[in-house]
């Protein structure tokens, strides 16, 4: 398999004074609703793991199977099924109620325990000598969706096994939406299979979501994410900040190791990008600039500038440099 850095181009830069200090390379693809590439940087056929950027694909069987309707899931549930959340109360309270609704407990999750990323929750738990639970895992919303689907399909408890009905349904959805046969999978941080595809395939899938009718399964997931950016990630996170800045008209989702996707309904376009060194600061910067380029984000919005031309300050508060999108994206 081709090395993921093959034919990569610089997408984000770090400047200190007059010097280019660091550069982050990667690949990015923009597709229209016909699946054709509108613009690309780097290698569109690079095969990589999309990590949590594929959660809206993994959530598709939840609706298509009838499980979501059977359990009266709302747009908040659907947003959480696509989330990599902070483990704040706004997330765990809703997921806890969801689990109780389907008759499941924290012990039924197959994802591991994770310390809450919400500082207030984390500090309060430390002071109370409480241990984190699986519900604090950033993927617990996705796993609540898996458990709901598993119950609907009468599946066994190990719903993250690659041959479990939940995961075979997820693979089917993944390959239908990307219009590719996945060459394989890796095990994600939450223990579920994460299937690989090309950047073109993922951008094509996101464009399909962008052009989908509001009532379709894809449209429901897209709209749930855009409507509830606080549930998809959380305060201070790039996904939430950029969706709010775009007026809740787009759905944006990060993935580990520098992956990012965006669904743009007004433009009927989808975006997928990968930073080859895995840096989140670079993927956020590149995605923000691509959103600006495509007319989905005001270039002068403070949140846009915070990612596309972000000042870097030292411990004394002096501005020593900045992070900016590379010239190829301008």
């Amino acid at each position: 398999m081709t090395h993921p850095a093959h034919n990569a181009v610089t997408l984000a830069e770090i400047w200190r004074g007059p010097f280019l200090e660091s550069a982050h390379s990667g690949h990015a693809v923009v597709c229209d609703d016909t699946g054709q590439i509108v613009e690309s940087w780097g290698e569109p056929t690079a095969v990589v793991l999309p990590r949590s950027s594929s959660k809206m694909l993994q959530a598709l069987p939840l609706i298509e199977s009838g499980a979501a309707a059977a359990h009266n899931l709302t747009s908040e549930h659907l947003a959480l099924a696509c989330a990599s959340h902070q483990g704040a109360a706004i997330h765990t309270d809703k997921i806890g109620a969801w689990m109780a609704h389907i008759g499941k407990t924290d012990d039924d999750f197959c994802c591991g325990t994770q310390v809450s990323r919400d500082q207030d929750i984390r500090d309060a738990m430390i002071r109370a000598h409480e241990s984190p639970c699986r519900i604090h895992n950033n993927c617990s919303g996705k796993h609540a969706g898996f458990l709901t689907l598993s119950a609907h399909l009468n599946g066994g408890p190990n719903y993250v096994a690659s041959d479990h009905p939940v995961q075979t349904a997820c693979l089917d959805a993944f390959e239908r939406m990307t219009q590719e046969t996945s060459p394989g999978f890796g095990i994600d941080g939450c223990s579920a299979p994460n299937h690989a595809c090309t950047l073109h395939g993922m951008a094509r899938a996101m464009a399909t979501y962008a052009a989908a009718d509001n009532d379709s399964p894809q449209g429901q997931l897209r709209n749930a994410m855009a409507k509830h950016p606080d549930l998809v990630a959380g305060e201070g996170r790039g996904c939430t900040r950029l969706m709010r800045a775009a007026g809740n008209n787009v759905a944006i989702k990060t993935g580990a190791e520098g992956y990012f996707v965006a669904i743009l309904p007004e433009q009927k376009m989808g975006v997928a990008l990968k930073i080859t060194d895995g840096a989140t600061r670079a993927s956020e910067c590149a995605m923000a600039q691509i959103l600006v380029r495509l007319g989905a984000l005001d270039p002068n919005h403070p949140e846009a500038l915070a990612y596309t031309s972000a000042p870097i300050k030292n411990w004394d508060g002096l501005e020593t440099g900045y992070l900016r999108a590379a010239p190829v994206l301008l």
Side-chain angles (χ1 to χ4, degrees):
M1 188 176 293
T2 304
H3 193 283
H6 181 66
N7 287 339
V9 299
T10 299
L11 297 178
E13 300 175 341
I14 303 294
W15 287 78
R16 184 173 294 269
F19 299 99
L20 175 60
E21 186 171 36
S22 299
H24 296 284
S25 297
H27 315 279
V29 178
V30 180
C31 272
D32 64 18
D33 59 342
T34 70
Q36 300 303 303
I37 296 176
V38 177
E39 288 189 283
S40 68
W41 301 266
E43 181 51 71
T45 62
V47 176
V48 292
L49 297 165
R51 303 296 298 273
S52 286
S53 288
S54 64
K55 284 182 176 176
M56 70 287 291
L57 303 183
Q58 294 170 309
L60 195 56
L62 180 63
I63 301 177
E64 290 182 333
S65 67
H71 290 87
N72 299 311
L73 299 189
T74 67
S75 62
E76 290 186 338
H77 294 110
L78 298 181
L80 287 166
C82 300
S84 296
H85 63 72
Q86 293 286 80
I90 190 176
H91 307 115
T92 56
D93 287 353
K94 294 179 187 300
I95 295 170
W98 182 358
M99 291 289 282
H101 177 64
I102 62 173
K104 301 294 183 180
T105 70
D106 198 78
D107 291 336
D108 292 303
F109 280 128
C110 289
C111 57
T113 60
Q114 181 180 356
V115 174
S116 173
R117 297 188 196 182
D118 182 271
Q119 185 172 339
D120 291 339
I121 297 292
R122 182 199 64 193
D123 292 350
M125 292 183 71
I126 290 172
R127 287 193 295 267
H129 302 286
E130 295 176 351
S131 298
C133 301
R134 292 180 178 90
I135 200 171
H136 295 106
N137 189 300
N138 76 98
C139 295
S140 64
K142 178 179 79 172
H143 282 249
F146 283 165
L147 281 165
T148 304
L149 177 59
S150 183
H152 191 72
L153 299 176
N154 295 313
N158 188 22
Y159 60 83
V160 295
S162 61
D163 59 352
H164 190 281
V166 166
Q167 298 308 325
T168 58
C170 288
L171 174 57
D172 173 71
F174 186 86
E175 293 185 331
R176 278 190 290 116
M177 292 298 100
T178 61
Q179 298 179 38
E180 295 180 357
T181 298
S182 175
F185 65 89
I187 299 301
D188 217 330
C190 66
S191 299
N194 191 256
H195 291 275
C197 68
T198 67
L199 270 294
H200 184 188
M202 184 56 76
R204 181 163 48 216
M206 296 303 99
T208 299
Y209 274 66
D213 293 336
N214 288 330
D215 293 334
S216 69
Q218 294 87 349
Q220 290 179 57
L221 290 166
R222 174 198 71 214
N223 293 343
M225 293 175 68
K227 183 179 180 180
H228 305 289
D230 51 338
L231 298 182
V232 173
E235 296 304 323
R237 296 275 301 284
C239 298
T240 298
R241 293 173 64 184
L242 289 172
M243 281 194 278
R244 287 173 175 167
N248 292 19
N249 292 321
V250 301
I252 303 170
K253 185 70 187 69
T254 189
E257 297 299 328
Y259 208 99
F260 236 101
V261 295
I263 302 168
L264 284 60
E266 291 185 4
Q267 293 82 359
K268 293 186 178 180
M269 291 181 184
V271 183
L273 71 84
K274 165 70 176 180
I275 300 298
T276 56
D277 66 8
T280 298
R281 69 177 182 179
S283 62
E284 291 175 339
C285 173
M287 179 54 76
Q289 185 60 50
I290 291 173
L291 292 174
V292 167
R293 185 183 182 94
L294 297 176
L297 182 63
D298 180 351
N300 296 313
H301 193 289
E303 291 285 36
L305 294 172
Y307 288 107
T308 60
S309 184
I312 297 174
K313 297 182 179 181
N314 69 7
W315 294 108
D316 200 33
L318 298 176
E319 187 171 319
T320 59
Y322 52 90
L323 164 67
R324 77 173 188 187
V328 296
L329 294 180
L330 303 181

